Each structure stands twice: as structure tokens, then as C-alpha cells.
Amino acid sequence: MEEYQDLYRSYFFNSRDLACIATKEGYFVQLSDSWEVETGYTKDELCAEPYVNFVHPDDKENTAHATITLSRGVPVLKFENRYRTKAGGYIWLSWSAISVDTNGLVFASARNVTVEKELRNNLDESNKFKLMLLARVNHEIKTPLTSIKGYTQLLELTIDKKGIAVSYIEKILKNVTFLSTILDEITDLTKLYQDIVHLKYDIVSLGSIIDDSIVVVGDPNGVNLVLDRRYFETLINVDVGKFKQCVVNLLSNSIKYNKPDGSVRIYCNKDLNKIHLFVADTGIGIPTDKFYRIYTPFDRLDRDSTVQGTGLGLSITKKFLEKMNCSISFESKVDVGTTFRVDIPLV
Ligand code: ADP
């Protein structure tokens, strides 16, 4: 036993992490040597006053909450706060703490995560800036693009219908429309990443959204669309516009990536808590080794550019669905087809 106590002491005092034991009154009673190295205070100085005195003023409240949690016997893991150093600065500590005995002694160990934290903060700032820039550029491009589209449509109305110019105008309009789609999708994605998407929930039948989506997608390009209307009357609570956008994405993909004379079947299943919507196509399928890339923005899974797309639709769809407490999954086999499934909570 003696020998274990020596081992324990050596483990505790030489720990590279900041190990400590504190009383329920909020004083340190034992500290590993690393405390002196990291904070610059001696152990005596650290034990002389309540530990909360060393905590950054902005972190005192959270620290008090963590202490209450511990006093209820609940471990506190990955809790972060700032500790004052003797030099007058602060270091970030990440804590794992438990309160194990009836005297309320707290056993804890912390890691100095200052460098990680600063790196993370810089990254957050730089990502925020990039998203803001993207949103701004997007907005600036959208206005002239809308104007180009409008004037091209006017031109189409006024020129000689038989001339070669008609086909040029059609090409301009097709590309302008595609550019517009890209900008809209980038706007959605930047909003999702900035977490500034506002959802407006309504209770509607799933079938009404599917029917509207079919209208939006329009001509199925020779693909046979089969609707199994069972459970279509089921009510769901979603943001109708956003949910429709998701169904439109799944449906237009099932048409875009289909084969000549292929088909798309839309059907539903239901269990106790959820309704499941399926969009099943008999298309070209997705190779198994690319499954993991399917929701990555801008990743088109190396498709050739004959099929127009941005590689953004599914990443947006997944994020929107998750925001609405729904989930998405898929099964696919090359040359056989792909089935996307959306699970929606019942109202
Ligand atoms: P986009 O269609 O604009 O490229 P998406 O994000 O909607 O972007 O889809 C990402 C990629 O996933 C597509 O480029 C395509 O390679 C693949 N994909 C999506 N849906 C299907 C499908 N039903 N069948 C086969 N491949 C699909």
C-alpha cells in the first residue's frame, strides 16, 4: 500500500497536467508542481485564497455553476475558464473534475489550452470574415445579374424570331439563370454557416409539398415519374419554402442523374414517430467509395460537366433538413439507381 502511495504522489505531483484537490469551501489543498510552472505563483500563494480569486472576472459565473454541478455529484468535463498568472496575464484551462467523497473534496485536472484556444479564435475570426465577404460579393453580383436577365428577356421579345440572335439569347438566358442559381445557393450556404437562417414553421400535408415540388422541377426530360400517394395526407411541421427546396433538389437530381427511359418513384412509409419520404431513381448511381463526399459543398463526385450543377444542393438540403429536425440518408448502386430517404417527425 505504501508503495502505491509513493506511486500516487509521484504521479500527482509530477503530472504535466494541472492536477489539484480542492475543498468544498473553494480552496486548493493539493496542487501538482505544474501549477507553479504554468501560473508563476507558488503553491502556497495559490492555496492561500479561494481559487475563484484567480479566475477571470468574465468566467466567475460559469465557474460557480460548474462548482454547483460538482457538488451534486455530477462530473464536469471539458469545462474551460481563464486563470490569472503572476505576470498579470491569463491562461485558458480545460478541466475534468469530479467530486468523489462525502467531505465534498473535488479532484480535478486541467490542461493549459491557451495556444489551441487562440488558434481556434483566429480561425473563427478568419472564417467569419470569409463568410461575410462571400455574402457581400454575392449580393453585389446579384443586382447586375438580375438586370442582365431582365434586359435579355426584353431583347428576346423585340428581335426577329427567325434570326440567329434568338439562339444566342437563349444561351445567355440559360447561363444567367444558372449563375443566379449558384448565387442563391451560395447565399443559402453562407447563411447556414453563419447560423442566420430563420425558419417559419407551418403545418402542411407532405403530399402538397411534393406536388408543388413536381411543378417547380417541371419537364422530367423523358424520365417516368411515379407517385405512390399513400400517406401523402400526413401532416408535417416544417418551413414550407425550405422543405420544398429540399424536395426539389432530391427530385431534380433523380432526374438529372437518371438514364434514358429511367424512372423516379416517390413514396412514403410511416412508423410511430416519423414519416419517411423516399425519392428512388433508376439512374447511374453513386460509387460506394464516393458516398462520404456526397454532402461536401462544391463536390460533384467527379461527374462530367454535361450535367449542369454546382455541387451545393445536397449540402444545403442536409443542413436545412437537420435544422427542421429531419434527417436524410441514401442507398445507391452504380447503374442500378439511388434512393434518398428523408425522416420527418410526425406532428
Ligand atoms: P449538383 O447536382 O448541383 O452537382 P448536389 O449537391 O445536388 O449537386 O449533388 C452532389 C453530387 O451528388 C452530384 O454532383 C452527383 O454527382 C451526386 N448525386 C446527387 N444525387 C444523385 C442521384 N440521384 N444519382 C446519382 N448521383 C447523384
Side-chain angles (χ1 to χ4, degrees), residues 139-157:
H139 179 75
E140 296 301 332
I141 298 176
K142 186 89 196 175
T143 315
L145 198 67
T146 311
S147 162
I148 294 172
K149 192 172 180 180
Y151 281 114
T152 316
Q153 280 166 333
L154 274 178
L155 209 60
E156 193 181 30
L157 291 175

Side-chain angles (χ1 to χ4, degrees), residues 178 185 249-250 253-258 279 281 283-286 293-296 298-303 307-317 332 337-340:
F178 182 52
E185 289 186 337
N249 172 241
L250 296 181
N253 279 351
S254 68
I255 293 168
K256 274 199 308 191
Y257 303 108
N258 220 306
V279 180
D281 67 57
I284 55 178
I286 300 159
R293 289 164 45 188
I294 193 109
Y295 302 111
T296 309
F298 295 107
D299 196 336
R300 301 207 62 218
L301 311 186
D302 316 311
R303 296 279 182 227
V307 180
Q308 209 168 47
T310 57
L312 287 173
L314 276 178
S315 54
I316 293 169
T317 293
S332 185
T338 305
T339 300
F340 274 91

Side-chain angles (χ1 to χ4, degrees), residues 10-260:
S10 155
Y11 168 75
F12 183 91
F13 290 111
N14 298 322
S15 165
R16 284 187 61 191
D17 283 346
L18 298 141
C20 66
I21 301 174
T23 62
K24 64 174 187 290
E25 289 76 27
Y27 284 84
F28 289 131
V29 284
Q30 261 190 20
L31 293 164
S32 58
D33 298 346
S34 46
W35 276 92
E36 296 191 335
V37 180
E38 297 288 354
T39 64
Y41 289 109
T42 63
K43 289 187 199 179
D44 286 344
E45 284 171 322
L46 287 163
C47 293
E49 45 186 311
Y51 58 71
V52 75
N53 288 1
F54 295 95
V55 173
H56 190 285
D58 293 349
D59 298 337
K60 280 191 199 289
E61 198 179 323
N62 284 346
T63 305
H65 280 302
T67 311
I68 293 169
T69 308
L70 275 172
S71 69
R72 292 192 184 125
V74 181
V76 168
L77 303 173
K78 292 196 175 164
F79 169 72
E80 292 183 342
N81 63 6
R82 280 161 288 184
Y83 258 66
R84 204 179 60 230
T85 63
K86 195 156 188 177
Y90 282 92
I91 51 171
W92 274 102
L93 299 182
S94 173
W95 290 91
S96 302
I98 44 168
S99 173
V100 281
D101 69 7
T102 42
N103 299 325
L105 282 184
V106 171
F107 291 71
S109 117
R111 226 162 35 85
N112 183 349
V113 290
T114 313
V115 176
E116 280 161 62
K117 196 87 183 166
E118 274 167 8
L119 274 175
R120 230 183 301 151
N121 279 350
N122 289 345
L123 245 149
D124 283 354
E125 281 309 309
S126 124
N127 280 344
K128 264 192 225 151
F129 178 71
K130 278 188 214 151
L131 284 171
M132 193 268 290
L133 199 69
L134 200 60
R136 186 67 205 238
V137 170
N138 222 21
H139 179 75
E140 296 301 332
I141 298 176
K142 186 89 196 175
T143 315
L145 198 67
T146 311
S147 162
I148 294 172
K149 192 172 180 180
Y151 281 114
T152 316
Q153 280 166 333
L154 274 178
L155 209 60
E156 193 181 30
L157 291 175
T158 50
I159 60 154
D160 172 11
K161 293 283 181 269
K162 288 189 206 94
I164 183 98
V166 175
S167 71
Y168 294 159
I169 287 177
E170 269 171 15
K171 284 199 175 76
I172 295 173
L173 277 176
K174 193 170 161 233
N175 282 293
V176 167
T177 307
F178 182 52
L179 259 178
S180 232
T181 311
I182 299 177
L183 294 183
D184 289 343
E185 289 186 337
I186 291 178
T187 304
D188 282 341
L189 208 67
T190 47
K191 281 191 178 156
L192 278 161
Y193 277 105
Q194 288 174 306
D195 207 13
I196 50 169
V197 173
H198 302 293
L199 298 175
K200 193 182 151 293
Y201 283 92
D202 276 309
I203 295 182
V204 283
S205 73
L206 178 55
S208 69
I209 297 193
I210 296 172
D211 287 333
D212 286 355
S213 306
I214 292 171
V215 174
V216 174
V217 172
D219 181 8
N221 255 330
V223 169
N224 186 22
L225 213 58
V226 184
L227 289 186
D228 179 345
R229 293 191 162 271
R230 242 177 318 162
Y231 305 121
F232 267 32
E233 76 292 347
T234 306
L235 295 178
I236 57 173
N237 187 15
V238 291
D239 180 309
V240 178
K242 305 269 187 302
F243 197 88
K244 200 194 298 175
Q245 190 176 331
C246 300
V247 179
V248 167
N249 172 241
L250 296 181
L251 188 55
S252 58
N253 279 351
S254 68
I255 293 168
K256 274 199 308 191
Y257 303 108
N258 220 306
K259 290 188 285 200

